[in-house]
Amino acid sequence: MVEVSTSILSVKKGEEAEVFLTLEKSKTDYFHIDVMDGKFVEKDTYQKMLEYAEYIKRLSNLPLDIHLMIEDVEKGIKEFGDIEPNMITFHYEACKNKEEVMKYISKIKDIHCKVGISIKPETKIEEIYDFLPYIHNVLIMTVEPGKGGQTYLKEMTKKIENLKKYIDEKKLEIDIEVDGGINLNTMEEVKKAGANILVAGTAILKARDYSQIIKELKK
Ligand code: DX5
Ligand code: ZN
């Protein structure tokens, strides 16, 4: 089954409430919250995303999918964890060493959230294989993290395929989430490669009919 996680990064100011409610009605499976700190990536969306996440939590019962693009992962786990999201995903590249990766995994599990690890386009998928038995989700960045509206990097298809092959061989139950440049033109390729959670921001928020595009993406 394919699920859709809508990135609310580029929702227009003043339209938040209406957009969030319409997305829920249109059957998005998750709200994807893009948390940036101005250090790990250039933009800083930290406070805004904290507000949005709290607001959505009050408005909706749908799960929050938190994507931490930040250096201080521990702070992110604490502050976004307080909002009781469904899943918290941090970047492998934000960790100093393997011990730190394992520490964040257990901190997220301690607060009863699902755990995801995300990797940037230049990071090899094999680098995170050791952690797969302990996590629920791998978020493969299919654009350079930092902003919405970019073009899907075609070279990422092979990465998705390799991960899918590996988790099937090892009989692991892990979601493969893809993020960046996902739309009606790129969705077939990522689904065929093995992705089962599609993050989409621009493609959904720019569409006239959210429910129509979400339905197409899930097919
Ligand atoms: C990029 C973010 C993505 C992005 C998705 O750093 O992680 O979630 O906003 O947006 P689109 O769908 O526009 O590529
Ligand atoms: Zn994201």
Side-chain angles (χ1 to χ4, degrees), residues 19-200:
V19 170
F20 299 158
L21 286 168
T22 313
L23 283 170
E24 166 148 41
K25 272 198 230 126
S26 307
K27 301 202 162 54
T28 186
D29 296 289
Y30 305 86
F31 286 99
H32 182 85
I33 311 291
D34 284 309
V35 185
M36 307 180 186
D37 64 354
K39 285 183 264 184
F40 185 78
V41 292
E42 224 175 282
K43 265 211 219 169
D44 186 347
T45 64
Y46 198 95
Q47 283 309 321
K48 188 163 133 187
M49 289 301 144
L50 210 48
E51 277 164 36
Y52 280 3
E54 277 163 1
Y55 187 50
I56 291 171
K57 195 73 193 181
R58 275 184 275 132
L59 214 71
S60 161
N61 287 324
L62 286 182
L64 295 176
D65 164 25
I66 309 286
H67 178 193
L68 297 178
M69 286 164 273
I70 60 175
E71 280 178 3
D72 193 346
V73 177
E74 197 151 347
K75 175 176 170 225
I77 295 171
K78 172 84 200 52
E79 295 186 347
F80 282 85
D82 282 347
I83 309 170
E84 300 182 5
N86 179 264
M87 177 153 75
I88 299 181
T89 297
F90 61 92
H91 266 269
Y92 171 69
E93 299 86 1
C95 305
K96 283 201 282 294
N97 49 41
K98 284 195 167 194
E99 288 67 38
E100 201 166 83
V101 178
M102 287 308 296
K103 182 179 88 180
Y104 297 148
I105 292 174
S106 65
K107 282 198 180 284
I108 297 172
K109 284 189 174 168
D110 282 349
I111 55 169
H112 309 290
C113 286
K114 287 202 277 177
V115 183
I117 293 183
S118 182
I119 54 169
K120 290 196 203 179
E122 74 266 23
T123 304
K124 292 207 167 52
I125 192 69
E126 292 77 14
E127 291 193 42
I128 63 161
Y129 280 177
D130 284 353
F131 309 109
L132 297 183
Y134 311 106
I135 66 174
H136 305 90
N137 182 52
V138 175
L139 173 55
I140 296 184
M141 287 307 301
T142 46
V143 298
E144 212 46 67
K147 55 177 193 285
Q150 304 181 72
T151 306
Y152 176 79
L153 295 169
K154 243 189 157 324
E155 313 87 84
M156 294 305 112
T157 305
K158 193 88 207 129
K159 205 183 216 180
I160 306 166
E161 282 170 2
N162 288 344
L163 174 63
K164 173 72 179 152
K165 199 165 151 246
Y166 184 82
I167 62 182
D168 284 351
E169 269 168 25
K170 298 283 174 198
K171 298 196 168 44
L172 294 164
E173 280 202 26
I174 302 181
D175 290 318
I176 303 179
E177 183 174 19
V178 286
D179 184 6
I182 305 301
N183 54 41
L184 295 181
N185 298 320
T186 53
M187 66 170 191
E188 289 303 342
E189 185 161 335
V190 295
K191 285 194 258 186
K192 204 163 151 251
N196 69 309
I197 303 179
L198 309 190
V199 176

